[in-house]
Amino acid sequence: MSVVADLTDINQASVAAHARSIGDVVLSVQNISLSFGGVRALTNISFEVREHEILAIIGPNGAGKSSMLNVINGFYHPQEGKIIHKGVERKSMRPHEAARRGIARTFQNIALFKGMSALDNIMTGRNTMMKSNILAQALYFGPARKEEMEHRKFCEHIIDFLEIEAVRKTPVGRLPYGMQKRVELGRALAAQPDILLLDEPMAGMNVEEKEDMCRFILDVNNEFGTTMVLIEHDMGVVMDISDRVVVLDYGRKLADGTPDAVRANQEVIDAYLGVGH
Amino acid sequence: MLYREAGQFKTTYSADQQIFPILQDRIGFFVTMAVAFIAIPMFAGDYLTQTIFIPFLVLSVAAIGLNLLTGYAGQLSLGTGGFMATGAFAAYKLATSFPDLNIIFVFILAGLITALVGILFGIPSLRIKGFYLAVATLAAQFFLLWLFNKVPWFTNYSSSGVISAPPMSIFGVFVTGTEASHTAKYFFLLVLVTLLALAAKNMVRGHIGRAWMAVRDMDIAAEIIGIRPLQTKLAAFAISSFYCGIAGAAWAFIYTGSVEPLAFNIDVSFRILFMIIIGGLGSILGSFLGAGFIILLPVFLTNAPHMLGLNIPVDIISHMEVMVFGALIIFFLIVEPHGLARLWQIGKEKLRLWPFPY
Ligand SMILES: Nc1ncnc2c1ncn2[C@@H]1O[C@H](COP(=O)(O)OP(=O)(O)OP(=O)(O)O)[C@@H](O)[C@H]1O
Ligand SMILES: [Mg+2]
């Protein structure tokens, strides 16, 4: 299927998703336990992620939030428990398999390809969809050229959307932090994931940059209906943009519910909100 | 503002996706081509062609090959000499077993055989990186040379262990053997190198090239966006070895005419590595600059003292060569890992602003 066709599909999907009716469970995390040597990073964690929703994972430093995302996208292999994604059960899988099944993510410490331009970084997000063989690429003729062009077009949409047109040819190592975060989001979006995992997408940003990033996240969720699981420390942001919140503390789940319910939960107040965050 | 992209607005992505998107670069490319295809054959003469231009072309192919693997895919290799030897001996066996096979097919098949050998020796790269991988490829270097030395089948049981290229022609013109003219050899190599360089340039700007660079810059992140480390690294080893194999075949068949396995010893591996470090890691242009530099530096060092009227003994000059190499490599590794190609690019960026500083 051509990318242009994909785009119109997305537009139709976005119309449908505009009401953003939260759908069925797409990802179910069941009784996950993970430890590193003696350190228990996660203990018996279960929660569900529903189609089109924005789920926030919060908790103090070292609570196991990043580890949870790493388990979901196959980077860490839990000792116990399982993950059911789109009805398929798995205990562990390689990250590239998770990516091919529609799970994309960004990292707490930016993980871009420093020597490549912003555009090339975003293009790598579409690598799994590019099929032309090495000989066709070496000759750069016919189908290979057409394929490259179609994916380039798609990535340019993302570049416009994230407002990074001016830096598309700049090696990302030279970009300021906030811009790098955007490019990383762009690379994840390029894969057209059905679940997007965002690890502290707004960390280290000023208020303006945070507002931009919130807008991008909400727009993606609204227009493409992408399901999101995000980790964030800024409670204001969490309360504003998430549909549901999971609270972790010392690797255990403290609470799971709407932002208002979580905010009112006494255990959460004691363990997390109370201690000066 | 002699060199600039400003004002050259790309109205379509395909225009921006061209191999040389900037007009001045395109002009530069065509001028280089004109010099290579017209000026050099007309004015260079046999001696310069044989001692400078032919080895330059052959080593450029090897440098491109290593650059694809090390500069683009980030897999350090010290096995270049071994892979070149594989190409040379594969071409020899093919050419002697199938005398009617056209030299083009001989070279391509020799490249493909070397690619398979490269894949085999690339398998450890899935587990090990950097220094340890370099040691593993060093093992490939020694093993392959030992093999061609010890197994007489590879040299068709020649008692000296030396292989000589049979005379081969293309379109009725000899390009190997004693009857081949330097000009014919030069043209054959030039066409080959041009095609291989353009193919390499196309690959590195396609999705395979992006996968290589992703693995190089951050292999974990590459895997998390769905790039398979196994296939990507092995593809880099295969294609790199294909280039090195053709370079080895061209070295044996066209440049020297006859070789023994020792001609591809570890020194060759290091020389090619120095070429890409000095020329520029991750740059096709840099592969040429590095090859040119390493071939011209000794020539320059031997002749410069004469021209300056100094009388420096030959052995001192050869020591100087080693010292200058060493200093340059340290300089480039520390100061400018992207080599001459990057310096060239910085120069262009300056020109873009010139004559206005802002
Ligand atoms: N690869 C690893 N090896 C050893 N221990 C680890 C590893 N990854 C995480 N941990 C440990 O697991 C625990 C949870 O870490 P994690 O990074 O998931 O916390 P977090 O909630 O993301 O914290 P932060 O808010 O600081 O990002 C910590 O005690 C950490 O030291
Ligand atoms: Mg974390």
Side-chain angles (χ1 to χ4, degrees), chain A residues 73 75 94-96 99-100 107 111 113-115 123-124 127-128 130 132 134 137-138 140 148 152 156 169, chain B residues 13-14 16-17 199 202-203 205-208 210-211 213-214 217-218 220-221 223-226 228 239 342:
Chain A
N73 85 321
F75 191 53
R94 302 287 304 163
H96 65 82
R100 280 160 200 270
F107 293 82
F113 308 123
K114 292 265 184 317
M123 287 286 278
T124 57
N127 252 37
T128 55
M130 299 184 71
S132 62
I134 288 173
Q137 288 178 72
Y140 194 57
E148 184 83 9
R152 168 83 190 265
E156 290 288 346
K169 292 288 177 71
Chain B
Y13 297 132
S14 66
D16 195 37
Q17 211 83 303
N202 282 338
M203 277 186 279
R205 67 203 179 106
H207 64 86
I208 183 77
R210 287 191 294 270
M213 291 186 272
D217 285 350
M218 199 181 245
I220 292 171
E223 193 173 352
I224 280 167
I225 60 169
R228 294 192 186 96
I239 292 167
R342 176 79 187 125

Side-chain angles (χ1 to χ4, degrees), chain B residues 89-99 101 105-107 109-110 113:
Chain B
F89 281 83
Y92 177 69
K93 288 303 290 186
L94 286 164
T96 50
S97 311
F98 309 99
L101 201 59
F105 292 108
V106 169
F107 276 28
L109 288 172
I113 290 168

Side-chain angles (χ1 to χ4, degrees), chain B residues 22-281:
Chain B
I22 298 173
L23 177 66
Q24 285 84 344
D25 281 343
R26 275 202 297 285
I27 294 174
F29 174 75
F30 288 115
V31 169
T32 312
M33 285 289 110
V35 170
F37 276 92
I38 301 164
I40 290 175
M42 277 174 74
F43 303 114
D46 275 357
Y47 178 73
L48 283 184
T49 305
Q50 174 64 20
T51 54
I52 306 264
F53 294 113
I54 287 180
F56 165 73
L57 290 173
V58 174
L59 292 177
S60 298
V61 175
I64 292 173
L66 183 61
N67 220 334
L68 292 177
L69 182 63
T70 303
Y72 284 95
Q75 311 298 305
L76 184 54
S77 166
L78 292 176
T80 317
F83 296 132
M84 287 173 74
T86 307
F89 281 83
Y92 177 69
K93 288 303 290 186
L94 286 164
T96 50
S97 311
F98 309 99
D100 293 334
L101 201 59
N102 187 287
I103 185 164
I104 293 175
F105 292 108
V106 169
F107 276 28
I108 289 175
L109 288 172
L112 290 176
I113 290 168
T114 315
L116 288 179
V117 174
I119 290 175
L120 198 66
F121 285 103
I123 291 172
S125 71
L126 306 173
R127 274 292 151 92
I128 54 178
K129 293 182 200 171
F131 173 73
Y132 296 97
L133 180 63
V135 173
T137 54
L138 202 57
Q141 165 76 36
F142 286 118
F143 172 76
L144 289 168
L145 252 60
W146 172 85
L147 188 71
F148 300 131
N149 245 329
K150 286 290 173 243
V151 181
W153 178 80
F154 286 110
T155 55
N156 284 351
Y157 306 96
S158 118
S159 53
S160 59
V162 174
I163 56 169
S164 295
M168 298 178 87
S169 63
I170 179 163
F171 305 125
V173 181
F174 279 102
V175 289
T176 71
T178 44
E179 280 177 64
S181 73
H182 292 306
T183 314
K185 291 178 175 181
Y186 173 81
F187 267 115
F188 176 70
L189 278 177
L190 186 59
V191 172
L192 188 76
V193 170
T194 308
L195 294 178
L196 286 173
L198 289 175
K201 185 92 185 150
N202 282 338
M203 277 186 279
V204 299
R205 67 203 179 106
H207 64 86
I208 183 77
R210 287 191 294 270
W212 288 337
M213 291 186 272
V215 166
R216 171 196 70 190
D217 285 350
M218 199 181 245
D219 52 356
I220 292 171
E223 193 173 352
I224 280 167
I225 60 169
I227 292 171
R228 294 192 186 96
L230 177 88
Q231 280 91 329
T232 307
K233 288 181 185 173
L234 290 185
F237 268 96
I239 292 167
S240 164
S241 305
F242 178 81
Y243 277 72
C244 292
I246 289 187
W251 183 275
F253 276 48
I254 296 175
Y255 174 45
T256 56
S258 63
V259 288
E260 53 180 345
L262 263 184
F264 299 107
N265 66 11
I266 182 75
D267 284 0
V268 174
S269 298
F270 276 114
R271 267 170 79 87
I272 311 284
L273 184 63
F274 294 162
M275 282 177 194
I276 66 168
I277 290 173
I278 290 175
L281 290 166

Side-chain angles (χ1 to χ4, degrees), chain A residues 36 39-42 59-68 70 76 108 199-200 231 233 248:
Chain A
F36 300 98
V39 184
R40 299 214 72 164
L42 296 170
N61 292 108
K65 306 179 296 294
S66 298
S67 301
M68 192 61 242
N70 283 336
Y76 286 168
Q108 190 167 347
D199 197 343
E200 305 200 13
I231 297 175
H233 279 294
L248 299 184

